[in-house]
Amino acid sequence: MSSAAPSPKTFRVKSFGCQMNVYDGERMAELLAAEGMSAAAEGDDADLVVLNTCHIREKATEKVYSDIGRLRRDDGSAPLIAVAGCVAQAEGEEIMARAPSVKVVVGPQSYHRLPEMVADAAAGKRATETDMPAEAKFAALPKRRKSAPTAFLTVQEGCDKFCTYCVVPYTRGAEISRPFADLVEEAKLLVAGGAREITLLGQNVNAWTGEDDKGRTVGLDGLARALAANPDLLRIRYTTSHPNDMTDGLIAAHGELEKLMPFLHLPVQAGNDRVLKAMNRSHTVDSYMALLERIRAVRPDIALSGDFIVGFPGETDTEFEDTLRLVEQVAYAQAFSFKYSPRPGTPAATMPDHVSASVMDERLQRLQAAINRDQLAFNKDSVGKTCDVLVERRGKHRGQWLGKSPWLQSVHFTGDADIGQMVTVELVDAGPNSLSGRLV
Ligand code: SAH
Ligand code: SF4
Ligand code: F3S
């Protein structure tokens, strides 16, 4: 227990990890603002720093401890530190024991309690809250008021899939879907506050299910259709999807619902059935490829994205080559790839035949080269197309604007535009990470 300190007046929330953590970070900032605190300006000291952490790989977790150690204000004093997110959930007690400067530890299912915990901490009481209460934290959060042109909306949380390498089922708990009516309401507020594009989020977003306003059970496509009815909402995206939850209805929606953008992040993880089975992915290479075929049949221009893990325990050279072959066949528009990282408490961590660091490095390099090649090819293929771009912000150069194409490519152009506007652009040049366009 430490002595009392003045209540914090300014705060900073630093989010790591996935987009759901970004969403949670925004909600925590809104909570603190509702208590009368203000966000510290860029470069200024904050009285309270919330580290909204990620536990997915070892590197991400170690970063938390180095960040805690480095947090100092200009006068040398430590700010009030709160650790939130998935490391808080997984290692709450350990953080409290290892880092005395941390006064608050709060998990992803209980961050609605952050303000009172901060007040207690300022009064000298350190506290940990990592329960996964059944009652919805969302109900306790303030109503949303302002939004950037692109907004995140968490619709589903948790995971029941238990891939053998992954901590998410332990840090985020069981799969739950937020109620339809709450989501329609939150989306309405986001759009009223300026959002033109909403990305629906969930660890398994396509497992979302609920009861619509007519009492019918609907899936994510039903939710997307309801949101699309709002004329001021122009684009809908969703992430991350699991191949096994890709329903007929959702696939069909890609062919019918104009506001549903032609982009799908559908991680496969590996291109070999033995490895997929050991990962407990419950899909095969063939079932995944067949799924892509059905999606491409209704939406031929769909941009595909994925996640890959190289060096899963026992992965042989030939099994890795299968992953390269899958990548070549799919030709992803973009993809993320990671070296396998053993996570405490997961089944894979105790599997035999861990792959050496040097082999993992080499595999990752080869995979990333293949992915980069496809990404550049996808962008080059887009040159000559005319498409909508939703303007998100100003670019580095005078008169330059940045936004996204329907296929989630970054596009820059100069001319008469404004943030939040949808403009028509002809794509004239492509690099690996962005395209340049000309206003039409
Ligand atoms: N729910 C999503 C995202 C999970 S985390 C999904 O199922 O796709 C994002 C990515 O991190 C995963 O897709 C996986 O590729 C990677 N990942 C998860 N655990 C990992 C581990 N232990 N080591 C390396 N990468 C991992
Ligand atoms: Fe992790 Fe698998 Fe669940 Fe994705 S589906 S969050 S990789 S356990
Ligand atoms: Fe990381 Fe937790 Fe997201 S572990 S990837 S922040 S769900």
Side-chain angles (χ1 to χ4, degrees):
M1 212 170 267
S2 62
S3 59
S7 306
K9 295 191 175 54
T10 59
F11 67 85
R12 173 167 295 122
V13 180
K14 294 171 101 182
S15 289
F16 305 90
C18 62
Q19 288 153 321
M20 303 197 58
N21 248 20
V22 175
Y23 174 90
D24 291 342
E26 287 170 3
R27 304 304 316 255
M28 282 188 259
E30 290 165 1
L31 264 171
L32 297 170
E35 294 294 309
M37 281 178 243
S38 52
E42 186 79 31
D44 279 3
D45 279 343
D47 301 333
L48 164 68
V49 176
V50 180
L51 296 175
N52 189 22
T53 60
C54 174
H55 196 51
I56 202 82
R57 283 168 289 275
E58 193 177 3
K59 257 203 206 140
T61 306
E62 274 311 309
K63 190 164 180 343
V64 180
Y65 291 100
S66 67
D67 278 352
I68 292 169
R70 269 190 289 120
L71 282 176
R72 280 274 169 272
R73 287 188 285 198
D74 285 343
D75 65 4
S77 64
L80 202 166
I81 302 174
V83 177
C86 291
V87 182
Q89 188 66 42
E91 296 183 3
E93 295 305 326
E94 196 184 327
I95 296 168
M96 276 298 190
R98 221 173 117 178
S101 59
V102 173
K103 306 299 182 204
V104 173
V105 167
V106 64
Q109 297 307 340
S110 29
Y111 64 73
H112 53 292
R113 296 205 46 226
L114 181 63
E116 51 176 303
M117 294 175 78
V118 166
D120 284 353
K125 201 171 121 224
R126 296 173 85 200
T128 304
E129 174 62 77
T130 50
D131 284 351
M132 295 206 177
E135 97 267 14
K137 71 173 171 246
F138 295 103
L141 301 176
K143 282 210 185 311
R144 316 215 60 181
R145 293 176 196 287
K146 274 207 314 242
S147 172
T150 59
F152 289 145
L153 172 55
T154 291
V155 305
Q156 183 278 339
E157 294 199 292
C159 180
D160 298 338
K161 306 289 191 288
F162 290 93
C163 301
T164 51
Y165 49 81
C166 183
V167 292
V168 172
Y170 313 97
T171 62
R172 294 276 173 161
E175 283 180 13
I176 61 124
S177 296
R178 291 181 65 193
F180 179 89
D182 294 7
L183 297 170
V184 171
E185 170 70 8
E186 190 170 326
K188 202 170 98 191
L189 293 174
L190 284 170
V191 173
R196 293 295 167 263
E197 171 181 304
I198 292 182
T199 302
L200 308 176
L201 298 181
Q203 268 91 19
N204 287 282
V205 71
N206 55 343
W208 183 89
T209 168
E211 225 176 69
D212 73 2
D213 46 353
K214 300 190 177 64
R216 295 173 300 204
T217 300
V218 290
L220 193 67
D221 51 307
L223 178 63
R225 282 178 208 275
L227 301 185
N230 185 334
D232 294 324
L233 179 63
L234 307 177
R235 289 176 162 185
I236 299 170
R237 303 181 186 276
Y238 62 95
T239 198
T240 291
S241 296
H242 192 285
N244 283 15
D245 291 321
M246 218 51 222
T247 61
D248 294 347
L250 189 53
I251 294 173
H254 273 285
E256 294 161 14
L257 198 56
E258 223 170 282
K259 292 183 182 179
L260 191 59
M261 290 295 102
F263 183 93
L264 180 63
H265 182 62
L266 195 65
V268 66
Q269 311 296 356
N272 173 276
D273 284 347
R274 191 204 64 81
V275 175
L276 288 174
K277 190 146 195 275
M279 287 177 163
N280 192 31
R281 283 296 292 181
S282 65
H283 57 76
T284 62
V285 171
D286 283 352
S287 70
Y288 180 80
M289 296 305 288
L291 182 57
L292 296 190
E293 215 165 284
R294 287 171 57 213
I295 298 161
R296 278 177 163 154
V298 298
R299 189 75 212 219
D301 70 333
I302 196 141
L304 293 166
S305 162
D307 289 343
F308 293 90
I309 295 176
V310 301
F312 184 81
E315 184 187 66
T316 65
D317 283 336
T318 34
E319 287 168 344
F320 169 68
E321 301 280 342
D322 290 343
T323 297
L324 287 179
R325 196 157 28 246
L326 179 140
V327 165
E328 184 147 352
Q329 275 171 17
V330 174
Y332 289 95
Q334 59 167 69
F336 303 93
S337 45
F338 313 99
K339 286 186 273 186
Y340 169 73
S341 172
R343 310 306 293 128
T346 59
T350 51
M351 285 180 186
D353 302 323
H354 278 245
V355 175
S356 75
S358 59
V359 170
M360 278 206 263
D361 280 333
E362 197 229 301
R363 287 182 189 169
L364 188 69
Q365 269 185 27
R366 289 180 64 195
L367 179 58
Q368 289 187 339
I371 289 167
N372 291 343
R373 171 202 68 204
D374 292 347
Q375 185 172 326
L376 180 62
F378 184 84
N379 288 346
K380 288 220 181 287
D381 265 1
S382 307
V383 172
K385 281 187 187 166
T386 295
C387 68
D388 288 341
V389 169
L390 178 60
V391 183
E392 291 176 20
R393 56 195 166 90
R394 288 182 178 280
K396 270 197 281 220
H397 305 292
R398 223 186 127 86
Q400 193 187 45
W401 300 96
L402 292 178
K404 296 266 170 22
S405 77
W407 307 281
L408 206 66
Q409 298 149 300
S410 291
V411 178
H412 51 85
F413 64 93
T414 52
D416 198 16
D418 205 355
I419 292 169
Q421 212 184 334
M422 190 78 92
V423 296
T424 308
V425 158
E426 186 196 339
L427 301 172
V428 293
D429 200 11
N433 298 313
S434 67
L435 291 110
S436 56
R438 190 185 304 128
L439 266 183
V440 175

